[in-house]
Amino acid sequence: MNPVDKTDSSQTDSLTFEFDLHHSPEKVWRALTDPELLAEWLLPAVRLKLEPGAAFTMKTQPYPGWDGTVNCRFLEIEAGRKLSYAWVVGDMALDTVVTFTLAPTATGTRLSLVQSGFKPEQKQNFGGARYGWKLMGGKLVDLLEKTP
């Protein structure tokens, strides 16, 4: 099932998406933490080590207004349940936090995605992130369908 945008229209500092996935929490966790799988639905991750405080980089091709780099650092890791990392886009002065929360359901996993920390003057970044997570969320759903 595709991501559902749960962001209230009055919200400007955080985005919230929910996914009801027909896959086990273990499989969803793997898609969130395995560099090869991340490259298929989100961005290629460089030097990713699943350790609290570990820094890593998400990198893709440059686009107008973005050099294609996101500097990340793990803030919280609860294996199979919660993953939180800093999401910093230097050339946009965007310093946010991305948090994934997984909860088992009768049919699979409820995945919550929150990106928080947008400033009032970052409306364009907020809109871009909202578009991006919808797109990437759809890719995550497709990846989970085709991955054993």
Side-chain angles (χ1 to χ4, degrees), residues 102-132:
L102 295 79
T105 65
T107 58
T109 304
R110 175 159 298 137
L111 175 66
S112 169
L113 159 64
V114 176
Q115 184 174 8
S116 60
F118 292 94
K119 296 180 178 115
E121 65 273 16
Q122 294 178 320
K123 288 181 182 173
Q124 186 173 0
N125 301 109
F126 185 86
R130 186 178 222 165
Y131 171 80

Side-chain angles (χ1 to χ4, degrees), residues 10-30:
S10 65
Q11 271 181 264
T12 59
D13 64 336
S14 64
L15 296 166
T16 303
F17 289 90
E18 282 190 5
F19 306 68
D20 280 316
L21 301 165
H22 299 291
H23 306 281
S24 69
E26 293 80 14
K27 184 176 180 179
V28 175
W29 180 257
R30 193 163 52 97

Side-chain angles (χ1 to χ4, degrees), residues 16-144:
T16 303
F17 289 90
E18 282 190 5
F19 306 68
D20 280 316
L21 301 165
H22 299 291
H23 306 281
S24 69
E26 293 80 14
K27 184 176 180 179
V28 175
W29 180 257
R30 193 163 52 97
L32 299 177
T33 58
D34 181 316
E36 288 183 29
L37 297 178
L38 280 169
E40 291 192 39
W41 73 270
L42 184 57
L43 293 169
V46 180
R47 298 184 318 272
L48 188 148
K49 282 182 137 182
L50 195 58
E51 298 174 358
F56 60 101
T57 303
M58 301 260 188
K59 184 115 180 116
T60 189
Q61 65 189 38
Y63 290 94
W66 178 41
D67 69 358
T69 302
V70 181
N71 295 303
C72 303
R73 183 173 44 82
F74 284 114
L75 302 174
E76 190 171 356
I77 302 169
E78 292 179 39
R81 296 181 38 185
K82 187 174 185 180
L83 184 67
S84 179
Y85 46 82
W87 180 276
V88 179
V89 183
D91 61 345
M92 294 182 189
L94 184 65
D95 188 351
T96 59
V97 173
V98 173
T99 301
F100 296 97
T101 306
L102 295 79
T105 65
T107 58
T109 304
R110 175 159 298 137
L111 175 66
S112 169
L113 159 64
V114 176
Q115 184 174 8
S116 60
F118 292 94
K119 296 180 178 115
E121 65 273 16
Q122 294 178 320
K123 288 181 182 173
Q124 186 173 0
N125 301 109
F126 185 86
R130 186 178 222 165
Y131 171 80
W133 285 120
K134 284 181 188 173
L135 179 69
M136 302 305 182
K139 288 183 176 185
L140 172 61
V141 171
D142 292 345
L143 173 70
L144 289 167

